[in-house]
Amino acid sequence: MKIADKILDTLLTKGIFVDIFTDQYSESCYGFIRIFNDNYLLLEHYNDDGLYNGIMIFKRDDITRIRWDNNEIRSTFLIIQREMIPRLDSIIMDSIENIIKTVNNAFGYVSLKIQYLNSDWTIIGQVQDIDSETIVIKEFGTMSSLDRGMLLLSIGDITRVDAGGIYENNLMKIHGKNNEC
């Protein structure tokens, strides 16, 4: 077994709180590793204030380092506020296409990062159609615009898949309330 896989397995089975870095996108994310395979890693994410912030699925090739058991990480761990975490066993992590489909099914939407083009670009919406090359998504606009639109994009441009975060959940609530009016 490779050292990286052995360490990831230990971090997962012992429930160790970690900080994952993707230096290419200048990111650092706290959480618990919940699922990993040769290509992908699912993190139960917590923000810097210790609040549950959904899940993040990284391409393992984008992860530059993982840190655990230092003062900053231990301090953040002490303030985390655990909530009822959704079951993750329905998420299939054998391809980016299946990750997107199953996350969309589990959460009712998906948040896609397109960091190669712009490190801040995130698309939040509901999958309308998908194959191994292309996705069609019905976007949720920002909280201020509440716009909805359709978008076709290349699967190859997607660098990370998220769901269940604070911002996304609030966006869903606002869109839901707006649709009731």
Side-chain angles (χ1 to χ4, degrees):
M1 178 184 275
K2 294 179 184 177
I3 291 173
D5 290 340
K6 186 170 79 172
I7 295 298
L8 288 173
D9 189 56
T10 300
L11 295 171
L12 183 145
T13 56
K14 291 187 176 183
I16 296 172
F17 195 65
V18 300
D19 192 1
I20 291 183
F21 296 86
T22 56
D23 289 309
Q24 181 177 355
Y25 310 121
S26 301
E27 288 183 317
S28 167
C29 306
Y30 289 124
F32 297 97
I33 297 167
R34 294 298 180 215
I35 305 170
F36 74 91
N37 60 31
D38 290 341
N39 300 311
Y40 304 102
L41 182 143
L42 187 148
L43 183 75
E44 176 185 312
H45 179 240
Y46 290 82
N47 67 18
D48 293 339
D49 296 322
L51 300 173
Y52 171 73
N53 200 24
I55 63 166
M56 298 176 158
I57 301 173
F58 298 90
K59 293 179 179 177
R60 277 188 60 184
D61 288 343
D62 290 339
I63 297 170
T64 51
R65 57 202 150 101
I66 299 174
R67 179 171 280 148
W68 67 97
D69 201 29
N70 69 14
N71 287 339
E72 183 179 349
I73 295 168
R74 282 193 298 270
S75 295
T76 303
F77 175 74
L78 291 173
I79 64 169
I80 65 170
Q81 299 175 24
R82 299 202 81 169
E83 295 182 11
M84 185 63 156
I85 308 304
R87 291 183 53 134
L88 302 175
D89 54 356
S90 64
I91 297 175
I92 300 169
M93 296 195 3
D94 61 354
S95 69
I96 194 73
E97 178 185 355
N98 280 333
I99 289 170
I100 293 168
K101 282 182 193 176
T102 56
V103 167
N104 187 75
N105 290 342
F107 289 86
Y109 73 93
V110 68
S111 178
L112 305 173
K113 293 291 226 174
I114 316 291
Q115 296 163 303
Y116 291 138
L117 304 176
N118 179 336
S119 62
D120 295 328
W121 195 12
T122 302
I123 298 163
I124 303 167
Q126 296 161 315
V127 175
Q128 302 299 300
D129 205 358
I130 188 170
D131 64 22
S132 62
E133 297 175 0
T134 307
I135 181 171
V136 178
I137 191 165
K138 185 163 178 79
E139 288 183 282
F140 287 100
T142 63
M143 288 189 198
S144 59
S145 76
L146 292 179
D147 191 20
R148 296 291 315 257
M150 298 296 291
L151 177 66
L152 177 133
L153 63 119
S154 170
I155 293 284
D157 289 334
I158 297 167
T159 56
R160 197 177 83 208
V161 178
D162 299 353
I166 296 167
Y167 177 80
E168 293 92 342
N169 286 340
N170 288 337
L171 186 62
M172 297 302 104
K173 288 177 191 173
I174 290 170
H175 273 279
K177 295 291 184 198
N178 191 51
N179 289 338
E180 292 171 7
C181 298

